[in-house]
Amino acid sequence: MSDSAPRLLLLDSASLYFRAFYGVPARAEVPSGIPTNAVAGFLDMIATLITRYRPTHVVACWDDDWRPQWRVDAIPTYKAHRVADDPAEGEEVPDELSPQVPVIAEALAAIGIPRIGAAGYEADDVIGTLAMAHRGQMPVDVVTGDRDLFQLVDDSSGTRVIYTARGGVRDPDVVTQAFLADKYAVASGDAYADMAALRGDTSDGLPGVKGIGDKTAAALIADFGSLAGVREAVASGDPRIKGARRANLEAASDYLDVAPLVVRVAHDVPIPDVDLRLPPDIADPAAMSRLAVDHGLTSPFDRIATALRG
C-alpha cells in the first residue's frame, strides 16, 4: 500500500457494524459461542473498502458516548427514543450484537487499524475533527450510513462521504458537492448542515421547524445564504418570509438557537497522537490467529490480509 497516493479513510464504526449485523445471516456455531455475523460482515466491509479506495491511512472512529450530555442539554429529545429500557445500559442494542462489539475492537487491534473515540463525544465528532485536521494534507473519505456527515463534504479538499445506507460498501453513493446539489439542492456541506437544522431529523429526535422539509429548507438557504441569514431575515421583517412560514420560524426560535450546536459535528475533539497509517500486513498475527480460531473468522481475516498486501 505504500506506493498509493495519500488518502485517509474514516470509518463510522457503529454505522457499519449495525449494518453488518442486520445484513449478514447468523453464522454456524463457533468455539467461543458468541455470534459473529456482525464481526465477519464488518471485516469484509473493511477488506472491500481497502481494496477499492486504496487508503494509506485508516481510522475506526468510535462512539465513546453515543448521546453526549451537552447535546441532550441543548435538545432533550436528542436520540431519546433509542435509550434502552434501563437508561443505565445506554443505547438499545440487540442482545446478539452486544458481545460482538468487543470482538470487533480486538480484531481492529490485531489488524493494526487504530480505533479512536473520545469521552463525551460521538464517532461523528471524531470523524469531523480528523477530517478537518487532514484537510489540505490528503483526500478524506468518510464511510457511513448516516447522512448527518454530509456536512463534511468539501470538493476543494477532496473530502467525500462514501454513503452506505442504500447500496452498502459494494455499491455506495459517493457524496460530493455535485451529489448534494442534485439530491438536496444545497451547494456545500455547510449548507447541508444548515438545511438539516431547519428540517430536523426524527431518527435523531430533532423536531425541526414545523412545515419545513428538505425542499423548503434548501430554498431558504439558497435565498438567504445560510441559517443565520434566514434568521436575520425573520428578525428584520424581510417581506420574502411571510404568513405561516414566518410564524413557524418565529415559533421555532428557541430550537434554532441550539440546533446548530447539536447538528454540527465537533471539529475540536481531543484526539490522541496515534499513527494512522494502514499497516502493510496484519500487525499482530498471533492475536489474529487466536481470534480466527475462537470466533470462526479465518476467511474474513484472510480477505483483510490480502487487501493490506494489495
Side-chain angles (χ1 to χ4, degrees):
M1 308 297 291
S2 59
D3 293 335
S4 299
R7 177 173 294 277
L8 173 61
L9 193 70
L10 299 175
L11 307 175
D12 183 358
S13 301
S15 171
L16 296 179
Y17 66 63
F18 265 92
R19 182 180 180 90
F21 175 75
Y22 287 110
V24 176
R27 306 170 83 236
E29 189 72 23
V30 297
S32 68
I34 293 173
T36 56
N37 60 325
V39 188
F42 185 76
L43 294 178
D44 282 343
M45 288 177 181
I46 292 176
T48 297
L49 291 163
I50 291 172
T51 300
R52 176 169 297 179
Y53 298 105
R54 292 293 173 201
T56 54
H57 300 67
V58 178
V59 183
C61 302
W62 213 255
D63 280 319
D64 277 15
D65 190 341
W66 70 281
R67 189 175 182 246
Q69 190 60 44
W70 53 273
R71 282 194 169 104
V72 176
D73 288 344
I75 299 180
T77 55
Y78 181 65
K79 293 186 177 179
H81 60 295
R82 296 196 217 165
V83 177
D85 291 338
D86 179 357
E89 295 180 9
E91 185 175 16
E92 192 168 20
V93 176
D95 290 344
E96 292 192 341
L97 174 57
S98 293
Q100 298 190 61
V101 177
V103 180
I104 289 170
E106 290 183 69
L108 289 165
I111 294 163
I113 293 175
R115 180 175 63 89
I116 298 179
Y121 293 96
E122 301 177 51
D124 285 9
D125 301 310
V126 175
I127 289 169
T129 298
L130 287 169
M132 289 297 176
H134 289 85
R135 278 194 174 176
Q137 298 180 29
M138 65 182 76
V140 178
D141 286 334
V142 176
V143 187
T144 184
D146 184 354
R147 61 182 181 169
D148 292 346
L149 289 165
F150 291 179
Q151 66 184 271
L152 295 173
V153 168
D154 176 61
D155 288 0
S156 66
S157 64
T159 304
R160 312 180 298 184
V161 170
I162 309 302
Y163 185 53
T164 61
R166 293 193 305 172
V169 299
R170 296 188 184 279
D171 187 25
D173 290 311
V174 177
V175 182
T176 60
Q177 286 178 225
F179 180 98
L180 294 180
D182 181 59
K183 177 81 172 173
Y184 295 103
V186 294
S188 66
D190 281 340
Y192 182 88
D194 282 348
M195 183 196 76
L198 280 167
R199 174 197 65 204
D201 189 341
T202 54
S203 69
D204 279 340
L206 302 179
V209 179
K210 181 181 177 182
I212 293 184
D214 283 352
K215 289 183 179 179
T216 302
L220 285 167
I221 300 301
D223 287 345
F224 299 100
S226 65
L227 176 58
V230 173
R231 301 199 71 198
E232 185 178 329
V234 172
S236 67
D238 191 308
R240 290 176 292 173
I241 301 178
K242 55 185 181 293
R245 184 165 301 163
R246 168 175 290 280
N248 289 336
L249 284 162
E250 289 173 343
S253 180
D254 289 347
Y255 161 76
L256 291 173
D257 284 343
V258 295
L261 171 70
V262 176
V263 168
R264 287 190 175 271
V265 299
H267 295 167
D268 57 353
V269 173
I271 298 291
D273 187 14
V274 176
D275 187 354
L276 308 184
R277 288 175 298 178
L278 189 66
D281 207 337
I282 299 294
D284 188 341
M288 182 198 72
S289 294
R290 176 178 55 79
L291 289 167
V293 171
D294 289 351
H295 301 290
L297 296 169
T298 300
S299 292
F301 274 123
D302 284 348
R303 284 191 278 275
I304 293 272
T306 298
L308 291 176
R309 294 165 192 155

